[in-house]
Amino acid sequence: MRKPIKLFSGLIHIVTGIATALIVLFSQNWFGDGDIWSYLFWTIPLAIGISVIGNNLLGLIPTENKLWRVIGIVTISGIFSYAWVWVLYLIIGPWINAFSIPIFYLWTIGMLFQLLYLDWKLPKDEKRKPIKKNLIRLLLFPLIAFGSIVAIFGFSHLQSYLTKPEAETYLIPENFSGQFKIVYGEECGIMPKTENDRRILEIPQNGVLIINPEFKAGIIDHEYYLVDSNGNRKKIEQYDNYVAGVKNVPGVRLGGSGNYAGKTETGFSSDSPFTIRYTDFEVYKDTITEFEYKDRIKMDSLTRKLVEECRNGK
């Protein structure tokens, strides 16, 4: 009977947190809605850990007075959630600031409801263990949380591997340097040819290649070549070589994927059928150039113009 109670408490934590996150996103006009998946990813290990040691946390509250127990549960929820924020910071660093939703408050609320449920449902003898024993049992939390994170990462990695996109070879003009973009999922776009089971993407001089296949996330397999006027290829590396700890020049930097939100009846949305989806790259030749905002604006403007012309059949 105790295991179902503990498992259900974890579900309460997750559902309560997501429900609160949705309320926050609604108040923000759904700004940052993509963060819900990252929030869920890091909430599951926390909920699992609290499911296991929740009775020990409750055992640290040395009173049966309901008001004081609620105050104790609120305090424990806040402290534990704050600690979990720091754990996440140690793992992902300053990227934690990229969250558009208040993860500390969401975890506090989720954990609060989880512990309240456990305090209500668990037998009293389950919570009346010596404080010393409860403190020792709390040491299980890091192991449980770490194991959960490893399992989730493993599953995510396996899923990414099984659904990985097609291997791609990028053919770049020998005299080309600077930014280029691949625009995906356009009916008017070209259908790249295949060579040795690799999709061949020939980058034009204007730096914008519009293709028909949809964008697909996953573990990438990219190769980059500079091509001279005779068609001879010279392989270059990805700019960031994390294995060797160096930055390759000449090389290609994979900037990341994004979109230009398309028009809808109420404004703009990434779910609009007019949305432009792309991946950014940059070719470094002899020197490493610094980021230039003006160049990015020019490339964005050119990309929109070429996609519009493509869609209009020009």
Side-chain angles (χ1 to χ4, degrees):
M1 183 63 184
R2 294 173 183 177
K3 285 186 178 180
I5 290 174
K6 292 182 177 182
L7 289 173
F8 191 68
S9 76
L11 182 62
I12 288 175
H13 184 148
I14 294 169
V15 172
T16 304
I18 290 178
T20 308
L22 291 175
I23 293 172
V24 172
L25 289 171
F26 178 77
S27 69
Q28 298 175 171
N29 198 25
W30 301 106
F31 173 76
D33 57 348
D35 291 341
I36 199 75
W37 296 110
S38 297
Y39 165 74
L40 179 61
F41 181 92
W42 294 106
T43 298
I44 291 175
L46 176 61
I48 292 174
I50 300 303
S51 296
V52 176
I53 66 164
N55 59 317
N56 303 107
L57 289 172
L58 294 171
L60 297 177
I61 306 174
T63 178
E64 291 299 323
N65 181 280
K66 291 184 178 180
L67 176 60
W68 283 109
R69 288 195 71 78
V70 170
I71 293 174
I73 289 172
V74 170
T75 303
I76 291 173
S77 300
I79 293 173
F80 235 80
S81 299
Y82 185 75
W84 191 243
V85 170
W86 275 100
V87 169
L88 183 56
Y89 176 78
L90 292 175
I91 296 174
I92 67 174
W95 284 105
I96 194 172
N97 295 318
F99 277 99
S100 302
I101 51 179
I103 54 176
F104 166 67
Y105 295 107
L106 296 179
W107 284 331
T108 300
I109 292 170
M111 188 172 170
L112 171 63
F113 277 91
Q114 182 176 11
L115 289 178
L116 286 173
Y117 176 78
L118 288 173
D119 196 48
W120 173 42
K121 284 293 187 179
L122 285 177
K124 288 186 178 180
D125 63 322
E126 185 80 4
K127 299 173 285 185
R128 287 180 175 175
K129 296 177 181 178
I131 291 181
K132 184 177 180 181
K133 187 174 182 179
N134 285 324
L135 289 173
I136 293 174
R137 286 270 298 176
L138 293 184
L139 297 177
L140 288 174
F141 179 80
L143 297 176
I144 297 166
F146 178 75
S148 301
I149 292 172
V150 170
I152 295 172
F153 263 116
F155 177 77
S156 177
H157 186 79
L158 177 62
Q159 184 183 37
S160 296
Y161 178 79
L162 294 176
T163 60
K164 65 180 180 180
E166 188 174 347
E168 294 178 331
T169 296
Y170 295 77
L171 303 183
I172 305 164
E174 185 180 36
N175 61 348
F176 187 93
S177 65
Q179 302 174 52
F180 71 87
K181 284 183 186 285
I182 308 296
V183 177
Y184 301 92
E186 295 293 332
E187 291 184 7
C188 60
I190 67 167
M191 183 60 71
K193 62 184 180 181
T194 300
E195 181 181 290
N196 297 324
D197 296 324
R198 302 183 67 87
R199 179 186 290 164
I200 304 299
L201 300 174
E202 300 181 58
I203 309 304
Q205 284 290 348
N206 62 22
V208 180
L209 178 62
I210 304 172
I211 65 175
N212 181 269
E214 297 284 346
F215 172 79
K216 190 175 181 181
I219 299 174
I220 62 172
D221 179 3
H222 289 179
E223 290 183 358
Y224 306 97
Y225 293 87
L226 295 177
V227 183
D228 64 20
S229 57
N230 296 319
N232 299 312
R233 302 179 184 181
K234 178 184 177 182
K235 188 174 183 179
I236 58 176
E237 299 299 327
Q238 187 162 311
Y239 167 66
D240 294 296
N241 186 332
Y242 297 106
V243 176
V246 298
K247 296 179 178 179
N248 300 303
V249 177
V252 176
R253 181 181 66 83
L254 172 58
S257 301
N259 66 75
Y260 304 130
K263 286 185 178 181
T264 65
E265 293 181 355
T266 58
F268 291 86
S269 170
S270 59
D271 295 325
S272 166
F274 301 108
T275 294
I276 299 172
R277 293 176 171 80
Y278 62 84
T279 297
D280 273 321
F281 301 82
E282 186 156 2
V283 178
Y284 295 110
K285 298 299 285 296
D286 301 320
T287 59
I288 299 173
T289 57
E290 295 184 359
F291 175 80
E292 288 288 346
Y293 184 71
K294 290 182 179 179
D295 292 340
R296 176 58 57 85
I297 294 298
K298 287 181 181 179
M299 175 56 76
D300 290 345
S301 178
L302 175 63
T303 302
R304 293 174 186 271
K305 176 177 178 292
L306 292 176
V307 171
E308 184 177 353
E309 290 178 353
C310 176
R311 290 174 175 177
N312 293 332
K314 295 182 180 180

